[in-house]
Amino acid sequence: MTDRAERQHQAMREHFRRAAERRGFTLAPAQQAAAERLARLAGELARPAWRLRRPPRHLYLWGPVGRGKSWLVDTFLDGLPTPRKRRLHFHDFFRRLHEGVAHHGSPGATAPDASAVDRAVDDLLGDCRLLVFDEFHAHDAGDAMLMARLLRTLLERRITLITTSNYPPAGLLPDPIHHHLFEPTIELIEERMDVLDVAGPVDFRRLAPAGPHPEAPAPRFTTGAVLRPGQEPAAGLTPPAPEEATPVRAHLRELPARAVREGLVWFSFEALCEGRTSVPDYLALADRFPTLVLDGVPPLAEVGPDGRQRFANLVDVCCDRDLRLVLIGADPMTGLDPGSPLQRDLDRTASRLALLRAACP
C-alpha cells in the first residue's frame, strides 16, 4: 500500500474500534475479520481510480440475523471520506431498476435487454465508485434473469460492490425447482467477490443498547403490534365497516383495501400476500401510508411458499421503511418446527416481528 492508502487503512481500523466502543461491545472474531477486510478496502479506495489497473475486489458479507452485517457496512461508509459512495436497500434499488429497464427497453420484450439494464444502472448510479447493497437476496425466479444481468453489469464496471445477505451465495434462490437458473450467477459471485462469513456466535442485538437515546423517538416499526381478533382497541383501532372498502393504487395495479384512514391503510392477508403482489407494491404503499394493518393473518406454517415469501417481503419493507405494522390474527410464527428449513428461512422475519409489541396470549 502507498503511505496514503496505509493511513486510510489504519484510520478505518481505529474508526471501527471506536464505533464498537461507543456501542459498548467488543467485536467477535467473525466481525473483527470483516471489519479488517473493510478497513483494507478503505485503504485500497484511497488510491486514485485512474492509477488502478482494476477496481478492488468486491465483497459479499453474509450471516444470520443480528450478526452486525448492516452495522459493519454502515460504520464503514460513515468513516469513508469519498463522496462517490451509495448505500441502497436491495428492495428499493430493484424496484427502481425494474422501472428503468421498462423505460429504456423495447416494447413487448419478455426478457431484460442488456443495453436497457446498462442504461438503467447509469441513471441510478451516475459516477458512483462504491456501491453497498443491504439485504441482498433472490427468492423470485421471475426476477432471476434481471438480477443476473444486473450483477454482471456492476461487476464489469469500475465500481466496487459490497453486499450483505442472510444467505451464502449457494443459498440464493433456494427453491429447488428454480435454483439451477441462478447457479451461473452464484458462480460469478464466488469468482469475482470475496465471500466473508460473519455467522459468528455473537448476536449484536443482544449486545447493543436496548434502544435509541432516551430523548430520541422510538422507531415507528417498534410501535406496531401482533393482535388476536377483538384486541384491536389495544392498538387504538376499530375494525373497518363494509362501506370503507376501497381500491388503493399500488405499483402497477389497484389493491382492495378494507379501509383507508388518515395515514393508515388496512388490508386482509389474502389481498396483500396471497395475490399477485410484489415488493414494488409494498414500497408504493410505504411511500403513502405510515401505518399498515393486516388482518386475517394465519400461522405461516399453513401458508404456501409464495404467500410466506410475500409476507416476509412485506415485513422487510415495513421494517426498513419504518412503517407501523399491526398484524391481526394468529401469531405468524406458531407451528414451525425448531431447526427446520422453514424455520431457518423465516428467521429474519421472526426477528423483526419480535420487535413489535406482541399482544398474542
Side-chain angles (χ1 to χ4, degrees), residues 6-331:
E6 181 58 26
R7 286 196 301 271
Q8 183 59 52
H9 176 205
Q10 295 302 328
M12 184 61 73
R13 293 180 74 182
E14 179 65 10
H15 177 67
F16 270 112
R17 187 192 68 78
R18 290 182 177 178
E21 189 177 73
R22 286 195 299 270
R23 296 287 296 272
F25 54 73
T26 301
L27 296 180
Q31 291 105 10
Q32 182 62 56
E36 175 58 31
R37 180 63 184 87
L38 287 164
R40 198 149 47 85
L41 174 60
E44 295 166 353
L45 290 169
R47 302 176 63 187
W50 60 268
R51 295 185 60 183
L52 299 175
R53 294 180 57 190
R54 61 179 61 89
R57 289 274 297 179
H58 311 280
L59 303 182
Y60 184 105
L61 280 68
W62 74 274
V65 172
R67 265 50 183 184
K69 302 180 296 296
S70 295
W71 179 86
L72 284 163
V73 296
D74 285 347
T75 302
F76 171 70
L77 287 176
D78 180 59
L80 198 67
T82 177
R84 295 169 57 189
K85 56 188 177 182
R86 297 284 301 279
R87 180 193 187 280
L88 298 167
H89 192 281
F90 192 67
H91 281 324
D92 279 330
F93 183 87
F94 209 60
R95 175 185 66 166
R96 293 162 65 188
L97 180 69
H98 265 293
E99 294 169 348
V101 170
H103 174 72
H104 291 293
S106 302
T110 58
D113 176 77
S115 62
V117 175
D118 290 343
R119 292 195 295 274
V121 170
D122 285 338
D123 292 344
L124 291 171
L125 299 184
D127 67 347
C128 176
R129 187 180 178 192
L130 175 74
L131 174 63
V132 172
F133 274 148
D134 204 16
E135 304 279 6
F136 179 82
H137 65 269
H139 291 293
D140 188 342
D143 286 335
M145 297 306 294
L146 178 56
M147 195 179 299
R149 179 60 213 178
L150 166 65
L151 280 175
R152 193 168 296 276
T153 296
L154 292 173
L155 296 179
E156 287 171 354
R157 294 174 176 227
R158 297 185 68 85
I159 295 174
T160 299
L161 176 65
I162 302 174
T163 67
T164 71
S165 180
N166 290 345
Y167 306 90
L172 296 170
L173 197 63
D175 185 343
I177 298 175
H178 301 112
H179 182 74
H180 68 282
L181 298 172
F182 211 65
E183 286 178 346
T185 305
I186 291 170
E187 292 173 4
L188 180 67
I189 290 172
E190 294 175 337
E191 174 190 339
R192 301 284 297 276
M193 306 183 77
D194 289 344
V195 179
L196 307 179
D197 179 355
V198 291
V202 177
D203 187 334
F204 271 47
R205 295 167 301 170
R206 297 181 183 277
L207 298 181
H213 189 279
E215 296 181 1
R220 188 186 295 122
F221 182 78
T222 63
T223 67
V226 181
L227 307 171
R228 294 287 191 190
Q231 294 180 322
E232 293 87 349
L237 299 171
T238 56
E243 58 269 20
E244 289 186 88
T246 183
V248 172
R249 185 70 179 174
H251 178 49
L252 298 176
R253 58 175 62 85
E254 289 189 335
L255 300 175
R258 294 196 62 205
V260 172
R261 299 168 183 170
E262 184 176 358
L264 176 150
V265 65
W266 189 313
F267 287 99
S268 68
F269 182 91
E270 181 180 7
L272 213 53
C273 300
E274 295 285 17
R276 296 180 61 84
T277 55
S278 62
V279 167
D281 294 314
Y282 308 149
L283 289 167
L285 294 173
D287 289 339
R288 295 177 56 192
F289 301 101
T291 295
L292 189 149
V293 181
L294 194 69
D295 66 14
V297 177
L300 293 179
E302 301 175 5
V303 177
D306 290 344
R308 286 197 301 267
Q309 188 55 58
R310 292 189 187 98
F311 178 78
N313 290 342
L314 176 65
V315 172
D316 282 348
V317 168
C318 289
C319 184
D320 297 330
R321 287 296 193 87
D322 198 24
L323 270 66
R324 181 177 184 240
L325 176 64
V326 179
L327 305 176
I328 304 171
D331 181 341

